[in-house]
Amino acid sequence: MNLALLGFLMVATFMTLIMTKKMTPLVALIVIPSLFGVIAGQSAGLGDMMIDGIKNLAPTGVMLLFAILFFSTMTDTGLFDPLVTRLIRLVHGDPMRILIGTVALCAVVSLDGDGSTTYIITIAALLPLYKRFDMNRLYLVCLLMTTSGIMNLTPWGGPTARAASALKLDPATLFLPLIPGMIAGLAFLIGLAIWFGRKERARMGEAGVTVTDTFEGMAVSQYPEARRPHLIWFNAALVVTLLTLLVWGILPLSVLMMIAFAIAMIVNYPGVADQKERISAHAGNVLAVVSLIFAAGIFTGILGGTGMVEAMSKAVVGVIPPAMGPYMAPITAFLSLPFTFFISNDAFYFGMLPILAEAGAHYGVAPEAIARASLMGQPVHLLSPLVPSTYLLVSLVGIDLADHQRFTLVPAIAVCVVMTLVGMIALAFPFVA
């Protein structure tokens, strides 16, 4: 059977099963690619493909494991309590202010370039507010994910670095013309937050809820016995040091997280019993996220190892008629939405982007324009079940992945369209060569 067709069928089957909740993502990530690998006639090599995929995602799995433990421990110590208290004073119990603040806070924290760290820090500060006022947590994950998708276009972010590397371009040169589109995308999200806020205000009014600031004096931590207010300055310095080293890239992120967690345990909970208790308290979140990461390794390993990704890329480029050649930049922007959702960023930027750039070059479209256009689908990409940080996000907030995908898909597409239109107007990638 044609590998490209088989690849599309595999992705469609997988997405249908998890979005209709006929199968959990963990099971689907393992069973569906294994089944299609057998159908492709490559059962003999499936084991090696799976192991390769798991190896590629192993550093990410380790990083997320210790990131959850570290930042959950910091939350237990009460490090983020002052931040939450200040936020409460600013919002005065107004859901619209909380939602607008969600976009603003995420945009600032996202400057570190790491989605997982962004989610952990912002959720630690914001989730208590959403719980206190019984706000729809789908609003929280929607705004956090789409904001992170926009801010992920910075030169030190993964997608821009991949696009630049694949086409041998300067990341800074790619990034600067994207700024107007990013600003427009954030403005759109502020508008979306205002709309969500009006709905929350109406709901609270119908429910007869009287907003007060009584929450201001309540404990944020759900483990009051674990709080360490006398160590707040040490813990703050530890977090700042971690984030600084993360940006500098002195050590791999997974190693930094492991070291930071070990230091946090030794200083805050020197007793072995206390350390075991803190680890056990967050073991559920860790298992839920890390198990999905390794299962995703099986999916990506088979998708790439069987040659489906390459076949899918060539099939899509092959159906673009020559008359559409001068419009390769907007076509690339359009294709980035589904393809960065269905396949990994590595597969798209290192496998498909060079093919698109080569096709565009025949019609006089600059590779910089193709590279910038290829970044427009990032807000939708983060909805993909192949993105590790997405599992972390829904796990920390306590909602189902399928519910998140159904709710956020349309807003994410809208953000991509806004950025693309502004990008074309600002000539980041011209509409026609």
Side-chain angles (χ1 to χ4, degrees):
M1 183 181 288
N2 182 279
L3 277 178
L5 176 60
L6 203 59
F8 287 120
L9 285 174
M10 182 176 86
V11 171
T13 302
F14 170 75
M15 292 307 305
T16 300
L17 287 173
I18 66 170
M19 293 192 77
T20 57
K21 298 185 180 181
K22 301 293 184 183
M23 193 175 287
T24 64
L26 178 62
V27 174
L29 284 166
I30 299 171
V31 173
I32 301 305
S34 300
L35 176 62
F36 276 84
V38 172
I39 295 174
Q42 302 193 36
S43 55
L46 285 184
D48 291 337
M49 296 177 198
M50 293 176 178
I51 293 298
D52 288 342
I54 293 172
K55 285 180 179 177
N56 288 335
L57 286 182
T60 300
V62 173
M63 183 275 292
L64 287 177
L65 187 159
F66 285 96
I68 295 172
L69 289 176
F70 175 74
F71 283 102
S72 296
T73 299
M74 291 296 98
T75 302
D76 291 347
T77 65
L79 174 62
F80 301 109
D81 288 3
L83 174 60
V84 174
T85 301
R86 286 174 181 259
L87 286 173
I88 292 170
R89 289 173 179 167
L90 288 173
V91 302
H92 295 294
D94 183 358
M96 184 179 291
R97 293 188 184 186
I98 295 173
L99 288 157
I100 294 174
T102 298
V103 176
L105 180 63
C106 184
V108 173
V109 178
S110 292
L111 289 173
D112 71 349
D114 181 68
S116 300
T117 305
T118 297
Y119 293 150
I120 291 171
I121 293 175
T122 54
I123 289 171
L126 295 168
L127 187 57
L129 293 174
Y130 280 75
K131 287 183 176 179
R132 166 64 179 87
F133 300 113
D134 194 28
M135 294 172 61
N136 189 341
R137 281 178 276 178
L138 286 172
Y139 295 162
L140 173 61
V141 293
C142 173
L143 293 175
L144 286 181
M145 193 214 71
T146 47
T147 303
S148 180
I150 294 172
M151 299 305 295
N152 208 24
L153 302 187
T154 53
W156 53 88
T160 303
R162 286 181 176 90
S165 299
L167 300 184
K168 298 178 175 58
L169 302 170
D170 178 20
T173 302
L174 289 184
F175 171 69
L176 292 176
L178 294 175
I179 293 176
M182 294 172 66
I183 293 173
L186 291 174
F188 175 85
L189 288 181
I190 294 293
L192 184 64
I194 292 173
W195 183 55
F196 287 161
R198 287 177 176 171
K199 293 175 68 175
E200 284 295 293
R201 279 178 176 175
R203 177 192 61 79
M204 293 172 69
E206 291 171 1
V209 176
T210 301
V211 175
T212 67
D213 291 330
T214 53
F215 180 57
E216 190 168 316
M218 295 174 61
V220 174
S221 175
Q222 59 179 316
Y223 303 106
E225 74 282 359
R227 301 179 81 173
R228 298 292 186 269
H230 61 287
L231 292 173
I232 190 169
W233 290 111
F234 171 83
N235 289 325
L238 181 60
V239 170
V240 171
T241 301
L242 171 64
L243 296 178
T244 302
L245 294 176
L246 182 156
V247 173
W248 283 356
I250 295 176
L251 288 172
L253 183 53
S254 55
V255 176
L256 288 174
M257 285 296 180
M258 294 173 74
I259 295 174
F261 170 69
I263 294 173
M265 280 284 111
I266 292 171
V267 175
N268 289 277
Y269 309 104
V272 174
D274 289 337
Q275 291 180 8
K276 288 182 178 180
E277 185 177 350
R278 298 276 41 83
I279 294 172
S280 297
H282 304 292
N285 273 344
V286 170
L287 179 61
V289 174
V290 176
S291 60
L292 284 165
I293 300 307
F294 291 121
I298 290 179
F299 189 99
T300 57
I302 292 176
L303 192 65
T306 56
M308 291 182 190
V309 168
E310 184 178 358
M312 292 163 70
S313 301
K314 290 181 178 179
V316 171
V317 175
V319 300
I320 299 175
M324 299 298 292
Y327 306 95
M328 279 302 298
I331 289 174
T332 299
F334 171 77
L335 291 176
S336 71
L337 272 71
F339 270 88
T340 56
F341 181 89
F342 293 138
I343 63 178
S344 68
N345 266 346
D346 285 334
F348 178 74
Y349 288 108
F350 293 113
M352 191 170 183
L353 181 59
I355 300 173
L356 291 168
E358 184 178 353
H362 290 301
Y363 299 97
V365 182
E368 291 85 359
I370 298 295
R372 293 183 192 117
S374 71
L375 298 168
M376 294 299 99
Q378 283 306 300
V380 170
H381 162 71
L382 293 182
L383 271 176
S384 171
L386 303 180
V387 177
S389 62
T390 299
Y391 295 113
L392 176 65
L393 174 63
V394 297
S395 174
L396 291 176
V397 178
I399 64 171
D400 187 80
L401 174 63
D403 292 336
H404 168 48
Q405 289 175 323
R406 281 195 295 267
F407 182 84
T408 308
L409 181 59
V410 173
I413 291 174
V415 171
C416 294
V417 171
V418 168
M419 290 200 302
T420 299
L421 292 176
V422 174
M424 289 190 294
I425 294 172
L427 300 181
F429 42 95
F431 177 70
V432 63

